[in-house]
């Protein structure tokens, strides 16, 4: 909650191609049918539930892996434009052709605040420009019902971006103007008749399920089910538990209606009435502990009864954790039947389940049932009891759904709910709704709030203030965080740490560290995984502010370990600390390790917070530049900074990443663009030693080493304000290069030795690999015989790992001529622009070609654009 957050988190399972069950049998004819669709056609797979749509597409995607596929499994949560397009963009960014696409990366960074119509237009533009085509599968599209969401989807289809093949699957036709697409020849349809299993398909599925049926029995079962996949699978399940196959086939039919008939006529009607009522009551729950079944039904022998149903029907199973599970087909029927026959009873059962789960410390299950009970008072009660726990544990989806379920009027009249909603909005950086909820809390503030409510209010306002919201309008409490439970104390400690870290007058590192350390300890004791990762991540940032790079790496590694224990690495939780670990790898002179770590975190793509995304892309861009892919690295760095926009970032992090971009820009030979980076940084953090360092680097890149040393000299004076621990190391290296360039070997050697002595305790190696040419020569002589494992050996290894080719800089007149090369002007017309001879212009053009390593005007324009030399 201390770092900025972006679009809603996208669970990894949502964008993963579903696994195929062990008994799955490939349907090669349908694969061939799908392959017949042309690239510009929208594939619509439309059929009733249980027809095998998802498994067919999952198998096809795996077999046609020559076309990278982004998969999104839709559910009711996606009936919201921000969630839907976050999932789509997140899925696309997992694909190699799109992972580093600047337009998609910019779009991902803008998702939280962008209008849905703009998102669709920008997404279509980005897909049009992809280097190679991709496939996008939207499964269960029938879950989308919001008119705005459906309009956005239809708009994307109308745009028909050339870089994507779109596949949509659902129980009904999606409202994307199917008749019009059919008329235009842009529709490829796969419907229920094509999805029906042939007799051979049915035989293969039944054999894969472990059944040894005769051809006649297969034929009967195929005819009875009409090839409906769900009917065949249900039949296979029951047949595996029966000894009389022919008797079963005589009574069973497998279409959607007769499966229901079978469930009632052959299973439920075969049970005594009490057992039938029991199953209807417990069907509202999944998972279903026996104790909960007893609570719902009053049946003390619930566990034995469930085991008996398992033995007699096979449609109730034990799960790995010892609970029970009703077969999905049977449970769906039971829930629908209960809701239809006795809706009041269904609501009462959900309310009972909600209270049962809440009493056992399972707020996620409790809130889910409370919402289904329709009892807003119960939802509000559970939110007051466990909302902050859910927040700090990272269960933000259930929390947001419950807050929406109580409704805005209930939140406006209840300061506890309003403040909980405000903090939830702050976590995802939705500042306007957060401010509105805070205003509601102030309007409904009671005359005598208790310590817990006061603590919650102060926490919300500290977090809001750290993000720039107006300060509190209520008096400070007399005893915030005193006499409150540990969860509230943990929230308050985090809020204090965030406030100290983002104080307008500058961070109080020591006090922030005290608060965040306490928050981390409470989080670990209470099992609040999200809070623990957040606290450790901010402690890592504090370590960088103290100049403790080793401490930064340790805290970041602890944060990743905490996320891993909760099954949340790589994810948005750990994106920030993973970025800091990659930064540590880079500074240690290990660009390959830095690039790999950053790629792994980016591949998770759970809509990481803007600061984390900027860090990961910034480090990755610098790392690939160090590895020799300098143009690629520069593009990534510039794109990452553009996507960041005005998002708040700690000055230390901002400065470190700007320094990376500035250095890579200089290594691409673009002094003007480097100066722009320096100006941007000065505008964000003000004058510091680092802003002087960047200007000095520009002078050194132009060969003016004496000027560089003079500019950076104040950095080495006592009391100089610096944000990065390595700034003085870089200043000593510039001093060394200036001395060596004018032949003062002793001074250069002394400055280099000072730089080495300061860098060793920091594990700071990269600056030596990028030092000036004379300094690197001197350094090579000193480290040639370095003892293995020593700091000098690390410096030598970094020098070998970093590919350093100093570009030839273009003169001002050459840059002016270069700016006109993309135009249609010939050499004589360019000469007229500058009032010089045509031979002078031709001379400039030859020099440009030589410095860029090209041989034609077109190649020069392309190379200059890649290096950022053209606007």
């Amino acid at each position: 909650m201390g770092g900025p957050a972006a679009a809603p988190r996208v669970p990894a399972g949502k964008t993963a191609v579903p696994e195929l069950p062990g008994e799955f049998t490939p349907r090669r004819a349908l694969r061939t049918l799908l392959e017949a669709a042309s690239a510009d056609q929208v594939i619509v797979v439309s059929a009733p539930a249980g027809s095998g749509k998802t498994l067919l597409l999952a198998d096809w995607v795996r077999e046609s892996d020559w076309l990278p596929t982004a998969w999104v499994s839709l559910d009711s949560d996606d009936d919201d434009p921000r969630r839907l397009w976050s999932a789509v963009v997140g899925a696309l960014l997992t694909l190699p052709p799109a992972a580093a696409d600047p337009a998609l990366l910019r779009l991902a960074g803008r998702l939280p605040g962008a209008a849905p119509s703009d998102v669709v237009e920008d997404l279509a533009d980005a897909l049009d420009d992809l280097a190679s085509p991709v496939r996008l599968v939207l499964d269960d599209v029938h879950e989308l019902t919001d008119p705005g969401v459906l309009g956005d989807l239809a708009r994307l289809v109308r745009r028909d971006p050339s870089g994507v093949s779109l596949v949509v699957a659902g129980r009904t036709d999606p409202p994307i103007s199917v008749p019009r697409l059919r008329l235009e020849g842009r529709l490829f349809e796969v419907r229920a008749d094509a999805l029906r299993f042939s007799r051979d398909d049915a035989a293969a599925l039944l054999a894969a399920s472990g059944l040894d049926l005769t051809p006649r029995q297969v034929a009967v079962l195929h005819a009875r089910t009409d090839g409906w996949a769900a009917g065949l699978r249900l039949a296979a399940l029951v047949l595996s538990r029966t000894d009389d196959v022919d008797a079963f086939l005589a009574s069973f039919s497998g279409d959607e209606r007769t499966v229901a008939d079978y469930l009632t006529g052959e299973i439920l009607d075969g049970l005594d009435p009490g057992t039938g009522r029991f199953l209807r009551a417990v069907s509202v729950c999944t998972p279903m502990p026996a104790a909960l079944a007893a609570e719902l039904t009053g049946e003390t022998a619930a566990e034995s009864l469930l085991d008996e149903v398992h033995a007699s029907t096979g449609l109730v199973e034990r799960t790995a954790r010892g609970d029970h599970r009703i077969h999905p087909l049977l449970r769906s029927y039971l829930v629908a039947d209960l809701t239809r026959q006795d809706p009041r009873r269904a609501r009462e059962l959900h309310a009972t389940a909600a209270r049962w789960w809440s009493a056992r410390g399972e707020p996620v299950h409790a809130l889910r049932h409370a919402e289904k009970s329709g009892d807003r008072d119960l939802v509000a009660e559970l939110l007051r009891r466990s909302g902050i726990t859910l927040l700090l544990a990272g269960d933000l989806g259930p929390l947001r759904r419950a807050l929406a379920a109580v409704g805005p009027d209930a939140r406006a009249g209840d300061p506890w709910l309003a403040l909980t909603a405000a903090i939830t909005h702050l976590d995802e950086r939705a500042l306007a709704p957060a401010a509105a909820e805070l205003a509601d809390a102030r309007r409904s503030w009671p005359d005598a709030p208790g310590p817990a409510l006061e603590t919650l209010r102060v926490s919300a306002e500290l977090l809001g203030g750290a993000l720039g919201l107006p300060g509190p309008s209520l008096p400070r409490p007399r005893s915030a965080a005193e006499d409150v439970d540990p969860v509230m104390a943990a929230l308050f400690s985090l809020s204090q740490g965030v406030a100290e870290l983002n104080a307008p007058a500058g961070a109080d590192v020591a006090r922030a560290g005290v608060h965040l350390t306490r928050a981390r300890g409470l989080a670990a004791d209470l099992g609040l995984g999200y809070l623990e990762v957040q606290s450790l991540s901010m402690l890592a940032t504090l370590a960088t502010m103290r100049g403790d790079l080793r401490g930064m790496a340790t805290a970041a590694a602890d944060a990743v370990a905490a996320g891993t224990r909760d099954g949340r690495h790589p994810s948005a939780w750990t994106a920030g600390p993973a970025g800091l670990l990659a930064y540590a790898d880079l500074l240690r002179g290990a660009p390959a390790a830095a690039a790999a770590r950053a790629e792994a975190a980016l591949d998770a793509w759970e809509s990481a917070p803007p600061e984390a995304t900027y860090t990961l892309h910034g480090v990755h861009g610098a790392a690939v530049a160090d590895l020799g892919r300098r143009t690629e690295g520069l593009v990534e760095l510039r794109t990452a900074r553009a996507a960041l926009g005005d998002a708040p970032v700690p000055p230390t992090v901002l400065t470190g990443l700007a320094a990376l971009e500035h250095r890579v820009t200089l290594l691409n030979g673009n002094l003007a663009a480097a100066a722009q980076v320096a100006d941007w940084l000065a505008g964000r953090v003000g004058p510091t030693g680092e802003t002087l360092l960047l200007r000095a680097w520009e002078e050194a890149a132009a060969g003016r080493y004496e000027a560089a040393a003079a500019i950076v000299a104040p950095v080495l004076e006592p009391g100089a304000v610096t944000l990065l621990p390595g700034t003085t190391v870089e200043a000593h290296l510039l001093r060394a290069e200036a001395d060596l360039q004018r032949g003062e070997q002793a001074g250069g050697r002394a400055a280099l030795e000072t730089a080495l002595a300061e860098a060793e305790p920091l594990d700071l190696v990269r600056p030596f690999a990028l030092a000036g040419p004379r300094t690197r020569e001197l350094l090579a002589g000193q480290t040639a015989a370095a003892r293995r494992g020593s700091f000098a050996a690390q410096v030598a290894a970094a020098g070998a790992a970093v590919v350093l080719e100093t570009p030839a800089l273009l003169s001002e007149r050459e840059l002016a001529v270069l700016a006109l090369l993309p135009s249609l002007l010939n050499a004589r017309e360019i000469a007229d622009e500058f009032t010089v001879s045509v031979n002078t212009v031709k001379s400039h053009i030859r020099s440009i070609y030589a410095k860029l390593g090209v041989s034609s005007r077109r190649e020069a324009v392309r190379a200059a654009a890649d290096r950022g030399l053209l606007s």
Side-chain angles (χ1 to χ4, degrees), residues 483-509:
D483 302 321
V484 297
D485 66 68
V487 172
M488 292 303 301
L491 173 65
F492 185 58
S493 294
L494 175 74
S495 304
Q496 288 176 297
V498 171
E500 296 290 356
L501 184 61
N502 295 278
D508 188 325
V509 174

Side-chain angles (χ1 to χ4, degrees), residues 594-622:
R597 195 188 297 271
E599 284 172 10
L602 288 166
D603 284 347
W605 245 95
E606 242 192 338
S607 294
E611 173 193 346
T613 302
Y614 179 40
T615 301
L616 288 166
H617 280 295
V619 172
H620 186 266

Side-chain angles (χ1 to χ4, degrees), residues 272-330:
D272 65 76
T275 302
R277 288 192 298 272
F278 171 84
L279 285 178
R280 282 181 175 83
V282 301
S283 68
V284 301
C285 292
T286 181
M288 184 175 53
L292 175 55
E295 182 75 15
L296 292 171
T297 63
E299 178 61 62
T300 56
E303 186 166 16
S304 298
L305 189 52
L306 288 167
D307 287 338
E308 288 175 12
V309 177
H310 165 72
S312 61
T313 69
L315 291 173
V316 173
E317 304 170 345
R318 274 195 181 272
T319 67
R321 53 178 281 180
D323 297 332
H324 288 79
R325 169 184 175 272
I326 301 177
H327 188 281
L329 280 173
L330 176 57

Side-chain angles (χ1 to χ4, degrees), residues 150-373:
L150 295 174
D152 291 340
L153 180 59
R155 188 178 300 110
L156 179 64
V157 171
R158 285 197 300 274
R159 277 292 309 271
D160 189 21
S162 59
V164 65
S165 296
L166 181 62
V167 182
V168 293
R171 296 176 186 175
T172 57
D173 280 355
I176 54 173
S177 301
V178 166
R180 180 176 179 176
L181 290 172
R182 188 182 293 124
L183 185 64
E184 295 172 351
R186 291 186 53 216
L187 182 68
F188 191 90
E189 302 171 79
V190 179
R191 299 195 174 275
D193 55 348
L195 288 168
R196 291 191 185 99
F197 275 57
S198 68
R199 187 181 300 182
D200 288 343
D201 289 336
L205 182 148
L206 295 164
S209 300
L211 297 173
D212 183 17
L213 303 183
T214 66
R216 183 193 65 80
Q217 290 170 331
V218 171
V220 170
L221 192 53
H222 178 259
R224 296 281 173 83
T225 61
D226 196 25
W228 182 46
L232 286 166
R233 290 192 173 93
L234 176 63
L237 175 67
V238 179
L239 282 170
S240 66
R241 293 172 170 82
T242 185
D243 295 327
D244 193 340
V245 174
D246 289 327
F248 168 77
L249 293 177
S251 61
F252 176 77
S253 175
D255 63 20
E256 195 164 2
R257 178 183 59 79
T258 55
V259 164
D261 291 344
Y262 173 80
L263 292 173
T264 55
E266 295 299 321
I267 295 181
L268 298 178
D269 289 354
L271 302 172
D272 65 76
T275 302
R277 288 192 298 272
F278 171 84
L279 285 178
R280 282 181 175 83
V282 301
S283 68
V284 301
C285 292
T286 181
M288 184 175 53
L292 175 55
E295 182 75 15
L296 292 171
T297 63
E299 178 61 62
T300 56
E303 186 166 16
S304 298
L305 189 52
L306 288 167
D307 287 338
E308 288 175 12
V309 177
H310 165 72
S312 61
T313 69
L315 291 173
V316 173
E317 304 170 345
R318 274 195 181 272
T319 67
R321 53 178 281 180
D323 297 332
H324 288 79
R325 169 184 175 272
I326 301 177
H327 188 281
L329 280 173
L330 176 57
R331 180 174 177 273
S332 296
Y333 173 80
L334 290 170
V335 170
D337 186 58
L338 174 65
T339 303
R340 181 174 58 254
Q341 299 291 340
D342 194 349
R344 179 178 177 181
R345 174 66 173 152
R347 292 193 296 272
E348 290 173 348
L349 288 167
H350 278 298
T352 300
R355 294 187 176 93
W356 189 91
W357 283 115
S358 178
R360 283 150 186 81
E362 294 284 356
V364 173
H365 290 316
L367 282 170
R368 176 167 54 85
H369 284 291
E371 291 167 40
K372 291 181 179 180
S373 76

Side-chain angles (χ1 to χ4, degrees), residues 434-655:
E437 298 285 0
L438 283 169
D440 285 340
R442 291 164 185 153
R443 280 191 292 270
S444 59
W445 195 251
D447 293 332
L453 184 57
E454 286 191 330
T455 300
L456 181 59
R457 191 266 299 174
V458 175
S459 298
E461 291 185 329
L462 286 173
L463 293 169
L467 292 174
L469 290 184
S473 59
L474 294 171
R476 287 292 186 193
R478 294 180 296 276
S479 58
E482 296 178 9
D483 302 321
V484 297
D485 66 68
V487 172
M488 292 303 301
L491 173 65
F492 185 58
S493 294
L494 175 74
S495 304
Q496 288 176 297
V498 171
E500 296 290 356
L501 184 61
N502 295 278
D508 188 325
V509 174
R511 292 179 62 180
V514 169
H515 295 308
L516 292 171
T517 299
R518 182 167 186 262
R520 183 264 174 108
L522 287 168
D525 292 342
L526 299 169
L528 303 174
Y530 187 44
L531 174 61
E532 185 176 7
V533 173
Q534 291 273 30
S535 301
L536 284 165
S537 182
M538 284 183 276
L539 285 169
T541 300
L542 286 178
T544 65
M545 293 177 162
R546 294 193 305 269
D548 181 6
L549 294 179
R550 288 178 176 173
M552 175 196 77
T554 298
D558 288 344
V560 169
T564 301
R565 286 195 301 272
D566 269 2
R568 299 306 304 271
H569 177 70
S571 75
W573 283 26
T574 56
L580 293 177
L581 285 174
Y583 184 55
D585 289 334
L586 185 69
L587 297 184
R588 281 197 291 263
R597 195 188 297 271
E599 284 172 10
L602 288 166
D603 284 347
W605 245 95
E606 242 192 338
S607 294
E611 173 193 346
T613 302
Y614 179 40
T615 301
L616 288 166
H617 280 295
V619 172
H620 186 266
V624 298
D626 282 0
L627 293 170
R629 289 146 43 207
R630 198 166 292 155
T631 298
E632 177 186 340
L634 178 60
V635 169
E636 184 170 7
L637 281 156
R638 296 175 69 184
T639 302
R641 181 161 58 87
L644 177 69
D646 295 328
V649 179
T652 303
V653 175
L654 203 70
T655 302

Side-chain angles (χ1 to χ4, degrees), residues 392-409:
L392 300 183
D395 292 312
L396 300 174
L399 175 59
R400 290 181 179 122
R401 284 194 296 273
L403 286 166
V406 298
D409 291 341

